[in-house]
Amino acid sequence: MRIAVFASGRGSNFAAIIAAAKRGIFRANLSLLVCDQPKAGVIAKAKRAGVKVVLVRREDFSGKKDFEAQIVKNIQEYKIDLIVMAGFMRMLSHEFVRRYRFKIINIHPSLLPSFKGAHAIKDAFDYGVKVTGVTVHFVDEEMDHGPIILQQAVSISKSDTPASLEARIHKIEHKLYPLGIKLFVEGKLKIRGRKVSIQ
Ligand code: GRF
């Protein structure tokens, strides 16, 4: 099985996925990093790990259609079976999601369906919830919405700050995402409607 990671940022999840693959947590080839930000830290991490980097800058294409067509070309060229979104800060078109239905997974730093969006950790902290967490899910046409694969709760204590909560959530992400990938790679995820069961 061949995996492409899509990322736009520092790439701590990317690094955790690479480390998990090296440790044999799952058996798949990390074949490609697709990144839309030339200055993203994830690019250096991929190069160090010997993972092929494809940089696709949205502004180099006249429209979203052409931008995504270039990504599809790369996915086909590298014979990708699973797309792992790890902080890719762009919504994929409905057409793209339909083409790769149940072959794209994402990680989100809250217990979905609570606190969707780009500021989930701070939003949960500011709201005053006592429990938040991490979700690994399939990607569908709506943002932070598709069928849920794995979730792990994180308690928020009186002494927490947004920074301490964020650090704890990232630590959990780095364990949970490789487990989600492992379940996919081993064919253990069965989807019925929007419910995913683990066989
Ligand atoms: C993570 O918090 C992930 O949940 C969200 O984007 C962030 C990416 O962080 N989707 P990193 O680039 O992997 O460090």
Side-chain angles (χ1 to χ4, degrees), residues 74-93:
N74 291 121
I75 289 172
Q76 287 172 343
E77 186 185 337
Y78 283 85
K79 300 190 176 14
I80 297 301
D81 306 293
L82 170 66
I83 296 170
V84 172
M85 311 275 283
F88 190 65
M89 299 309 282
R90 278 179 194 284
M91 277 294 286
L92 299 167
S93 69

Side-chain angles (χ1 to χ4, degrees), residues 5-137:
V5 176
F6 286 24
S8 307
R10 61 186 184 144
S12 70
N13 279 282
F14 175 83
I17 292 165
I18 292 273
K22 277 203 184 131
R23 287 204 313 273
I25 301 284
F26 58 84
R27 295 174 69 84
N29 194 308
L30 273 158
S31 309
L32 203 59
L33 169 74
V34 173
C35 181
D36 63 333
Q37 297 295 331
K39 292 191 178 144
V42 69
I43 293 178
K45 291 187 170 81
K47 287 188 172 156
R48 268 205 301 277
V51 174
K52 164 81 185 170
V53 177
V54 168
L55 181 64
V56 274
R57 300 193 324 152
R58 173 65 185 80
E59 52 272 37
D60 291 342
F61 298 87
S62 55
K64 189 172 179 123
K65 223 181 158 126
D66 293 344
F67 169 70
E68 287 189 349
Q70 178 59 48
I71 297 177
V72 167
K73 222 174 114 188
N74 291 121
I75 289 172
Q76 287 172 343
E77 186 185 337
Y78 283 85
K79 300 190 176 14
I80 297 301
D81 306 293
L82 170 66
I83 296 170
V84 172
M85 311 275 283
F88 190 65
M89 299 309 282
R90 278 179 194 284
M91 277 294 286
L92 299 167
S93 69
H94 291 194
E95 201 193 350
F96 188 98
V97 170
R98 283 189 201 121
R99 182 190 277 261
Y100 297 109
R101 170 125 16 237
F102 301 130
K103 290 191 161 62
I104 313 174
I105 62 174
N106 182 43
I107 191 159
H108 184 75
S110 77
L111 290 179
L112 290 175
S114 290
F115 304 112
K116 297 175 176 171
H119 311 289
I121 300 173
K122 184 167 186 304
D123 290 348
F125 185 86
D126 290 347
Y127 194 96
V129 292
K130 307 290 188 203
V131 179
T132 182
V134 173
T135 303
V136 177
H137 66 96

Side-chain angles (χ1 to χ4, degrees), residues 158-178:
K158 257 196 329 215
S159 60
D160 263 317
T161 62
S164 68
L165 177 62
E166 186 169 343
R168 216 151 66 249
I169 286 194
H170 285 315
K171 222 170 154 184
I172 288 170
E173 286 186 328
H174 300 160
K175 289 227 166 91
L176 203 65
Y177 217 1

